[in-house]
Amino acid sequence: MNTISNYLQRYILPSLTGRGWGAGLPGLLLSLCLLSCSSDNVSDLRISGDCRVEALALDNYTGIIDLPSRTITVRLPEIYETAAMTVTDLRLSEGATCNIRKDDRLNMTAAQVLHVTNGDTYLDWTVRVLHDEARISSFVINDIYQGTIDQNAKTIVVYVPASENIKALVPTIIYSQNATITPASGQAQDFSQPVTYKVTNNSAESTYTVTVIAIDKPKALFVGAASSMNDLDAEARTACEWMLANVPGSLYASFADIEADAVELDECKVIWWHFHVDGGVDGHDVFMAKAPEALAAKNQLRQFYENGGALFLTRYATNLPSFIGVTGDDEWTTPNNCWGQDEANAELCGGPWTFRIFDNQNDHPLFQGLVAGDNPQEVYCTDAGYHITNSTAQYHIGTDWGGYDNHAAWEARTGGKILGVGGDGAVVAWEYPAHEGKGGIICIGSGCYDWYSYTFEAGYTENFHRNIAIMTTNAINHLTK
């Protein structure tokens, strides 16, 4: 700064004072100069490097210095304890000092700040550690078929329909940040034999074995009106993606495929339909108008059910049993109390949303292993910060309207067994037990049963929402045992 001050006094000030500027001007300019040199960033007038970190190492792992962002990243092995790391090297620009010194021990479970001072200036540098993770977190074939990943065994299994050309499948792979993968994501592969994928990230390295199994007789199906699962609405697609990733031998099929007998159902144990419509499906007639594809395949679905196939029906799909003979020939036994919101304007959950386990059904397989809340009689389904459409297809119970004076009357007329109820006693989860060679059916029409939130509020943490997947697993296992 002395060089700049001398320059001002020798060349600039005489010129200004000679033009009638006041005697106080030199002091004013000098004060401005001093102020410009004491900000928390190096002034444009300062010589660059005065507050620079030249080198830093933790436990002898050398940090990578990024000058524009003033960050220092120390790369570590994938498994490395960071709670007490020693500063083994620290070099600053000439004349600079720092709040951290060589041989200090730092807790690097969170980023640390180096406050570097040199004269009247200072700069803050952020020091962080980055583990060299080499993992595949998602493996999807042809943008449809989700692989099941075993991180311990480093294996990936993907089921695809036999109609796909297994010798030219294209995987989309998500893997660790900063890593490289061979063969590359998006590169077509011959999966007629297992293919190995190598992930490398600095000191970390993993090799995954990918096996693709072509099946012409699925064990489980997710069905919908769309010709491809990619064309499903976000709510149904999220549910479908979960099934393909978590239920072995599962595939997506359209109702048109079912109607045309294009899918072999000989070995299929369960069909899941999760039916979402923005604004809801209110009653028998609206269901007929909104689900023509499903009703076009109702004869095939009825045959599947009567031959012992199980159905898992959620949201507005709970209308289906009345159309395939499950409740006798009375199609008017569809849910009588239905509504829903648009996905784009979904309601914000201020806390957990729940429904109540009915009477003595706590031991039912559907409710086993759930994340428990304060009330053991409640099923907790959402968390604060989740957006939900509250899409509901339930049965109102009462003498005021609806045709079901009490719960016993509902069970007598429909042949179902009540599993869960809403706060007002409405039937929101129920089962048609397997009997006389016919398959079992579980229905969940509670608005709390929701797979997709279009956004999450700040601070959202998934806890109770895991119960949606747990209940779904329980339902499929119970129906296929």
Side-chain angles (χ1 to χ4, degrees):
M1 196 193 71
N2 290 336
T3 301
I4 298 168
S5 178
N6 291 338
Y7 180 83
L8 290 172
Q9 293 186 54
R10 182 174 179 181
Y11 297 105
I12 303 300
L13 296 182
S15 173
L16 293 175
T17 54
R19 296 180 182 179
W21 290 73
L25 184 58
L28 174 61
L29 288 175
L30 185 57
S31 297
L32 290 172
C33 180
L34 288 171
L35 287 172
S36 71
C37 293
S38 59
S39 66
D40 61 350
N41 290 304
V42 174
S43 165
D44 290 340
L45 298 177
R46 296 287 297 178
I47 300 173
S48 64
D50 281 353
C51 297
R52 182 178 299 182
V53 177
E54 303 288 354
L56 181 139
L58 300 176
D59 289 356
N60 294 316
Y61 288 97
T62 301
I64 301 169
I65 299 173
D66 184 74
L67 292 175
S69 64
R70 295 204 300 279
T71 59
I72 305 168
T73 303
V74 180
R75 301 288 295 270
L76 300 173
E78 185 169 2
I79 300 175
Y80 195 89
E81 179 56 53
T82 60
M85 299 189 71
T86 301
V87 181
T88 51
D89 188 17
L90 179 60
R91 284 172 277 158
L92 310 174
S93 52
E94 184 178 356
T97 59
C98 181
N99 62 316
I100 293 173
R101 295 176 175 82
K102 186 178 178 181
D103 296 326
D104 282 357
R105 293 174 74 82
L106 305 180
N107 181 356
M108 293 306 302
T109 55
Q112 298 288 336
V113 174
L114 264 63
H115 185 75
V116 181
T117 304
N118 200 342
D120 294 324
T121 63
Y122 69 85
L123 284 179
D124 286 337
W125 296 74
T126 300
V127 182
R128 65 189 182 108
V129 297
L130 180 64
H131 289 90
D132 294 333
E133 182 182 84
R135 289 191 171 199
I136 293 176
S137 57
S138 176
F139 195 98
V140 181
I141 294 287
N142 289 3
D143 295 326
I144 299 176
Y145 310 107
Q146 185 88 30
T148 301
I149 303 174
D150 185 329
Q151 293 292 1
N152 293 323
K154 294 293 187 289
T155 59
I156 302 173
V157 178
V158 190
Y159 293 93
V160 301
S163 58
E164 295 283 359
N165 180 8
I166 200 170
K167 293 187 176 182
L169 300 176
V170 180
T172 300
I173 312 168
I174 299 176
Y175 50 93
S176 299
Q177 184 180 6
N178 301 314
T180 58
I181 189 167
T182 306
S185 175
Q187 180 178 320
Q189 290 292 321
D190 179 355
F191 284 100
S192 57
Q193 298 294 328
V195 177
T196 58
Y197 281 81
K198 185 176 181 179
V199 187
T200 304
N201 189 2
N202 200 33
S203 66
E205 183 177 291
S206 297
T207 299
Y208 289 79
T209 300
V210 180
T211 302
V212 175
I213 300 174
I215 52 177
D216 54 3
K217 294 184 177 182
K219 305 295 184 184
L221 281 181
F222 189 101
V223 296
S227 59
S228 164
M229 65 170 285
N230 289 335
D231 297 325
L232 293 169
D233 60 89
E235 171 70 25
R237 186 173 65 250
T238 303
C240 182
E241 288 172 348
W242 178 90
M243 185 182 194
L244 268 58
N246 291 277
V247 180
S250 61
L251 291 177
Y252 174 79
S254 69
F255 286 116
D257 293 332
I258 302 294
E259 182 187 6
D261 294 323
V263 182
E264 287 279 357
L265 298 179
D266 294 353
E267 297 182 13
C268 184
K269 302 298 182 184
V270 63
I271 292 176
W272 178 15
W273 183 23
H274 183 60
F275 184 30
H276 169 79
V277 176
D278 273 355
V281 176
D282 188 11
H284 174 277
D285 291 347
V286 178
F287 177 78
M288 292 188 67
K290 296 290 186 179
E293 299 87 355
L295 294 180
K298 71 177 184 178
N299 290 335
Q300 289 79 6
L301 293 170
R302 180 169 185 162
Q303 183 178 16
F304 172 77
Y305 160 70
E306 292 180 345
N307 288 341
L311 296 169
F312 181 44
L313 305 172
T314 50
R315 198 160 284 191
Y316 305 119
T318 55
N319 285 270
L320 183 64
S322 299
F323 291 87
I324 61 172
V326 178
T327 58
D329 294 326
D330 186 0
E331 291 185 354
W332 293 95
T333 51
T334 54
N336 62 6
N337 190 202
C338 310
W339 65 84
Q341 300 170 4
D342 292 349
E343 197 71 71
N345 300 302
E347 185 175 351
L348 174 63
C349 296
W353 282 31
T354 69
F355 66 88
R356 193 169 80 250
I357 299 173
F358 183 66
D359 282 355
N360 60 348
Q361 294 297 327
N362 292 70
D363 293 333
H364 191 279
L366 184 66
F367 303 127
Q368 303 311 299
L370 298 179
V371 180
D374 294 335
N375 188 341
Q377 201 64 26
E378 300 280 336
V379 177
Y380 290 71
C381 297
T382 67
D383 302 287
Y386 185 93
H387 289 259
I388 192 169
T389 60
N390 193 18
S391 298
T392 301
Q394 65 182 21
Y395 289 89
H396 174 75
I397 301 297
T399 57
D400 49 349
W401 64 273
Y404 306 101
D405 290 353
N406 51 52
H407 292 121
W410 181 89
E411 290 188 336
R413 180 178 174 187
T414 65
K417 181 173 70 174
I418 301 172
L419 302 179
V421 295
D424 61 353
V427 179
V428 300
W430 60 99
E431 178 180 14
Y432 301 104
H435 67 287
E436 299 176 352
K438 299 176 182 178
I441 300 175
I442 287 182
C443 296
I444 302 178
S446 170
C448 301
Y449 184 90
D450 193 284
W451 279 93
Y452 173 79
S453 176
Y454 75 91
T455 187
F456 298 93
E457 297 300 302
Y460 170 79
T461 300
E462 182 165 290
N463 182 33
F464 294 123
H465 187 250
R466 289 178 290 166
N467 284 335
I468 302 301
I470 295 171
M471 273 193 295
T472 302
T473 300
N474 290 345
I476 292 173
N477 288 341
H478 173 61
L479 291 168
T480 60
K481 65 180 181 180

